[in-house]
């Protein structure tokens, strides 16, 4: 009896180890290390762009996005239902699902694939299969993304993947034209709700550079901090051969700052393009101030980039408004950095600034604080905030009076 118990315990232990090993997400095992520092909670990785559906059920536990987590759970339930259904009599829905799967596998063109969704019922798993096949064809240049990105059937498939419910899509209950137009106008931002990380990464790899920037901006506006999608976007944008203009650099940095997503590789790529674009810019100060603000929010201190940006502002000081000066000083104070053009900024901008230049007292307080950190404050500026009247102004502004 002792021998039998020991054998059964050993067998159970080995089985438990194998089960835990099998449930490990495959995407994490195949990831490639890029940089040792990142988002404060995990290392940066280059996303695995190979097609892998085995990791769907194992990746659910690490997701923070409830929409994506619900989609994973839905796919896992679909898989479980399929296994249970194998032991029971085949129902009408199961037969139809098998027929739809066969039609998807036999399709050789974009029209044939989208026609499947147009003529039959399509569940979330089948929609994911269609979208992933189209993404794969696009990545190998078999088809162009522009051939189907505006097709209402493709948009509806992406919309189905982005829903948390298990609704099915048929020809009789399609999205209203107004909603379809809205989705089309957002440049495939429905990709934000793609269920499987590897499939989403492949779809993002097929987007153009402006579309990837719009997806990143959509993530920041919707406050969706999906780390797998952000890593995929960062990798694909950083490796894209196209050039970023000044506005695109500002939009990307602002999105990263809003999502608290720091990527050294992508930030370095943006800063490299910034140096080139600064030489072409002659009268646009707003994107430069935006870049400085985002760098301060990201705590990204690059002396060369900061010197170039501040030198441009010093050379075009007549374009700088008081509020923009306040943003500049706040970023420099946050980064604790004094640029080489600081003397020019002091003489041309700081010397003429006063409390009357600011509408909100909090903005003036931030400016005085920044000047203090940078050792540029004078007695009058300090006394303007260290008095009872200014304190009452701050209280009134806070209370909305």
């Amino acid at each position: 009896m002792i021998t039998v118990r020991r054998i059964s315990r050993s067998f159970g232990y080995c089985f438990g180890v194998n089960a835990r090993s099998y449930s490990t997400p495959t995407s994490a095992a195949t990831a490639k290390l890029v940089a040792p520092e990142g988002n404060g909670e995990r290392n940066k990785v280059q996303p695995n762009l190979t097609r892998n559906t085995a990791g769907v059920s194992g990746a659910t536990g690490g997701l923070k996005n409830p929409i994506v987590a619900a989609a994973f759970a839905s796919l896992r339930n679909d898989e479980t239902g399929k296994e249970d259904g194998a032991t029971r009599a085949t129902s009408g829905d199961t037969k139809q699902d098998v027929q739809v799967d066969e039609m998807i596998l036999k399709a050789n063109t974009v029209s044939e694939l989208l026609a499947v969704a147009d003529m039959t019922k399509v569940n979330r798993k089948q929609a994911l299969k269609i979208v992933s096949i189209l993404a794969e064809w696009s990545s190998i240049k078999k088809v162009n993304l522009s051939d189907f990105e505006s097709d209402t059937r493709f948009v509806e498939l992406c919309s189905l993947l982005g829903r948390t419910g298990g609704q099915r899509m048929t020809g009789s209950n399609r999205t209203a034209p107004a909603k379809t137009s809205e989705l089309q106008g957002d440049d495939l931002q429905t990709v934000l709700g793609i269920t499987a990380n590897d499939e989403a990464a492949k779809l993002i790899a097929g987007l153009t550079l402006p579309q990837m920037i719009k997806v990143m901006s959509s993530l920041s506006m919707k406050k969706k901090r999906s780390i797998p999608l952000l890593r995929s976007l960062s990798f694909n944008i950083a490796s894209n051969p196209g050039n970023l203009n000044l506005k695109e650099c500002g939009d990307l940095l602002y999105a990263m700052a809003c999502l608290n997503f720091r990527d050294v590789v992508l930030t370095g790529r943006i800063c490299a393009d910034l140096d080139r674009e600064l030489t072409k810019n002659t009268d646009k100060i707003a994107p430069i101030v935006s870049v400085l603000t985002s760098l301060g929010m990201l705590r990204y201190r690059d002396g060369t980039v900061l010197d170039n940006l501040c030198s441009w502002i010093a050379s075009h000081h007549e374009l700088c408004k008081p509020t923009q000066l306040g943003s500049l000083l706040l970023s420099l104070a946050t980064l604790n950095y004094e640029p080489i053009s600081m003397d020019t900024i002091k003489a041309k901008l700081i010397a003429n600034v006063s409390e009357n230049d600011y509408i909100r007292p909090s903005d003036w307080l931030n400016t005085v604080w920044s000047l203090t950190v940078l050792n540029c404050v004078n007695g009058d500026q300090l006394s303007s905030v260290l008095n009872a009247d200014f304190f009452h102004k701050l209280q009134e502004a806070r209370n909305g009076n």
Side-chain angles (χ1 to χ4, degrees):
M1 292 297 294
I2 296 176
T3 304
V4 173
R5 289 181 179 177
R6 288 181 178 176
I7 292 173
S8 62
R9 289 178 181 176
S10 300
F11 178 78
Y13 174 76
C14 295
F15 180 79
V17 171
N18 291 334
R20 284 193 293 270
S21 301
Y22 178 77
S23 65
T24 303
T26 57
S27 59
T30 55
K32 180 180 177 182
L33 184 63
V34 175
E37 60 181 46
N39 307 307
E41 55 198 28
R42 50 174 73 90
N43 292 332
K44 280 188 173 54
V45 295
Q46 175 177 339
N48 175 25
L49 300 182
T50 59
R51 189 174 184 180
N52 187 358
T53 57
V56 171
S57 61
T60 308
L63 290 175
K64 294 183 179 180
N65 190 329
I67 296 178
V68 179
F72 273 116
S74 176
L75 288 182
R76 186 173 65 249
N77 293 336
D78 289 344
E79 290 290 344
T80 305
K82 184 177 179 180
E83 293 175 359
D84 294 341
T87 62
R88 299 190 300 266
T90 303
S91 63
D93 289 342
T94 303
K95 290 181 179 180
Q96 187 173 10
D97 288 343
V98 173
Q99 293 176 354
V100 172
D101 291 339
E102 291 178 353
M103 294 173 63
I104 294 174
L105 294 177
K106 292 179 180 180
N108 294 319
T109 64
V110 174
S111 299
E112 292 177 357
L113 268 179
L114 296 180
V116 175
D118 196 36
M119 295 184 299
T120 62
K121 291 182 179 180
V122 176
N123 57 32
R124 293 169 62 83
K125 186 176 179 181
Q126 292 164 343
L128 177 61
K129 185 180 296 185
I130 294 175
V131 171
S132 64
I133 291 175
L134 289 173
E136 186 174 1
W137 287 355
S138 177
S139 64
I140 64 176
K141 307 302 181 183
K142 181 178 178 180
V143 297
N144 294 324
L145 184 64
S146 58
D147 295 340
F148 58 87
E149 66 174 335
S150 59
D151 194 298
T152 56
R153 296 169 295 181
F154 176 72
V155 174
E156 288 172 355
L157 287 173
C158 292
S159 179
L160 176 63
L161 292 176
R163 297 172 191 165
T164 56
Q167 299 175 355
R168 301 173 75 91
M169 182 177 59
T170 63
S172 60
N173 64 349
R174 295 191 178 276
T175 309
K179 188 172 183 180
T180 302
S181 301
E182 180 183 353
L183 291 173
Q184 291 177 355
D186 286 334
D187 286 293
L188 293 179
Q189 67 176 342
T190 49
V191 72
L192 307 180
I194 289 293
T195 52
N197 296 340
D198 291 339
E199 305 299 343
K202 288 203 294 186
L203 186 59
I204 289 174
L207 299 179
T208 63
L209 182 58
Q211 286 175 329
M212 287 189 285
I213 295 172
K214 287 185 178 181
V215 171
M216 180 79 88
S217 298
S218 297
L219 278 171
S220 65
M221 288 188 294
K222 294 177 179 294
K223 305 298 180 185
K224 287 188 176 182
R225 194 174 185 270
S226 175
I227 297 300
L229 283 177
L230 288 173
R231 286 175 176 167
S232 180
L233 283 167
S234 299
F235 171 74
N236 284 283
I237 293 175
S239 59
N240 193 285
N243 295 326
L244 297 171
N245 59 41
L246 202 56
K247 183 181 182 303
E248 290 173 337
C249 291
D251 291 344
L252 283 175
L253 288 174
Y254 182 73
M256 295 169 65
C258 289
L259 295 169
N260 192 24
F261 178 76
R262 288 171 287 180
D263 186 283
V264 177
V265 177
L266 178 57
T267 310
R269 158 69 194 275
I270 294 172
C271 291
D273 286 356
L274 269 175
D275 290 338
R276 184 190 65 255
E277 291 296 319
L278 275 178
T279 59
K280 303 176 183 178
N281 186 32
T282 57
D283 58 352
K284 297 178 181 178
I285 190 173
I288 294 178
V289 175
S290 174
V291 168
L292 281 167
T293 302
S294 299
L295 291 176
M297 294 170 64
L298 289 168
R299 304 296 195 273
Y300 187 84
R301 178 171 167 168
D302 187 317
T304 303
V305 174
L306 293 173
D307 284 338
N308 291 339
L309 292 171
C310 293
S311 296
W312 190 97
I313 293 178
S315 301
H316 302 81
H317 59 86
E318 68 279 356
L319 301 176
C320 187
K321 300 177 181 178
T323 53
Q324 293 172 332
L325 173 62
S327 299
L328 164 64
L329 295 175
L330 185 60
S331 296
L332 294 177
T334 302
L335 298 172
N336 194 23
Y337 184 79
E338 184 173 332
I340 57 177
S341 58
M342 194 64 189
D343 291 338
T344 305
I345 293 176
K346 289 179 182 178
K348 299 294 185 181
L349 295 171
I350 296 177
N352 302 321
V353 70
S354 65
E355 181 182 357
N356 296 328
D357 295 325
Y358 294 85
I359 298 176
R360 297 186 299 180
S362 59
D363 291 340
W364 174 241
L365 181 62
N366 288 334
T367 301
V368 174
W369 175 85
S370 303
L371 292 173
T372 304
V373 173
L374 296 171
N375 296 321
C376 301
V377 69
N378 56 42
D380 294 336
Q381 292 166 341
L382 278 176
S383 61
S384 67
V385 298
L386 300 178
N387 60 74
D389 292 338
F390 186 77
F391 178 73
H392 290 315
K393 290 180 182 179
L394 284 175
Q395 284 186 321
E396 291 176 356
R398 180 177 297 179
N399 295 331
N401 298 330

